[in-house]
Amino acid sequence: MKNWKIKKGHDFRIRNRHPWVFSNELLDSPKGILPGEPIELTDMQGHFLARGYGNPHSLISFRAMSFSTKENFDMTAEFLTERLLQAWRFRHRSGFRKSFRLCYSEADQMAGLIMDRYVFSKEGQAYQVFSFQLLTSGMDRAFKKDDTWQIIVQSLVQRAQEEGLSSMDWEHTLILQKNDVSIRKLEGLEVEEPQILRAVDNCDLHDIKIEVQNVLQPEQDVFFDVNLVEGQKTGFFLDQTFNMRLVLEHLQRQKPYLQGRKIKLLDLCCYMGQWSSQIVNNLKSWGVDCEVHLVDVSELALEKAKNNLAAYGVPVFTYKKDVLSLAEVSELASQKFDIVISDPPAFVKNKKDLPQGLAAYAKLNTQAFKMCASGAVIVSCTCSGSVQLDDFKEALRKAVLKSGANARCLAYGGQGWDHPHLMSFTEGYYLKMVLHQID
């Protein structure tokens, strides 16, 4: 394993377990290694700091995978399988049994790997899908060399069965690779089309109904008709479970005020209807009647969301529209809603976009607050990692003021329990949610 030294005075972050080292922090040039090659990082005196992998073509030249000299680190299939198993054990301990984020990159000491597990059934038989993204040269090389991905996932499935984490075997396991994200370019990697690496029993990942636990009653399932191949990220968003539970717990306390009338729900940037389905599932179980209005720019998303809500027998109205132009939708402008969800895509991709992005959040939420009925609950989200909570709160303050609403802030939320982050790595904390209620 090659050794790199970090410059004097540049070791503060890595000593505090931040997993990235930039090229200008290294004593020597990172050139001369293969992308993804294992590296041991030391200080100027040769004292151990971390082990991980390097990339001579990236500004982030070193990514830590281990901070312990006692750990026999390498990038073999056996090592990576054990890391994934540790991540699965963590989620299992937190109660995740169906579809969930299995590996979240740096938070699971697997820098550069995102992996979700989806569960579905076909003709009475249960299946699982492992959908993953390789975001860095290290993970790309480790998974693709000699098709090591198959060894890793097959071993993971077998070990998970043996430990009681899952009842599903390799014969009922599908694999989807989703390297269609532009961030790969920063690592000198190509953006690739989604690829089904392993298909089973003619299951079509373009059209399956995955099972997700009810966020309020985990022993019950909520079903989603999804297109994992063409869907965003790994195919579906699973990161809002904590926020959904927080909102539903608040609604549950207000059941006496919700019953006996039709609740109107507005879901802005609905995607495939995750928020609406979870809320309607629980409202119906409480005997609360409702109708849902879905807004999204994607025809595919609206179609899937409408299908997902069809099972509950509630009226559903769809609007293919940019949410920043809600005032142009006459059918919505004249209505008031009891529950409003504002969960847009990231308006801020990097720090230079911050002023423009915060203005967009303020504009969207101004419109959303204006559409709230008296007593309405409104959920405002940002998934922009570059947006700090205080920045988002300021955008919402402006929105409340401009809308003329009398709104009280009730709670703050964040990523679900299967999307943990490290205090030493704030870049992993991206999702923020603010819950208001109109007076």
Side-chain angles (χ1 to χ4, degrees), residues 195-215:
Q195 185 178 359
I196 299 173
L197 298 179
R198 188 169 196 269
V200 172
D201 296 342
N202 294 317
C203 295
D204 184 5
L205 295 183
H206 293 83
D207 185 19
I208 60 172
K209 193 176 288 292
I210 63 170
E211 302 168 22
V212 178
Q213 288 165 276
N214 183 313
V215 295

Side-chain angles (χ1 to χ4, degrees), residues 22-38:
F22 295 90
S23 58
N24 63 353
E25 296 175 318
L26 296 171
L27 181 62
D28 298 309
S29 169
K31 306 298 181 184
I33 69 161
L34 293 173
E37 189 171 332

Side-chain angles (χ1 to χ4, degrees), residues 276-288:
S276 296
S277 295
Q278 288 276 4
I279 292 173
V280 170
N281 182 288
N282 284 280
L283 288 179
K284 294 288 285 186
S285 71
W286 302 338
V288 177

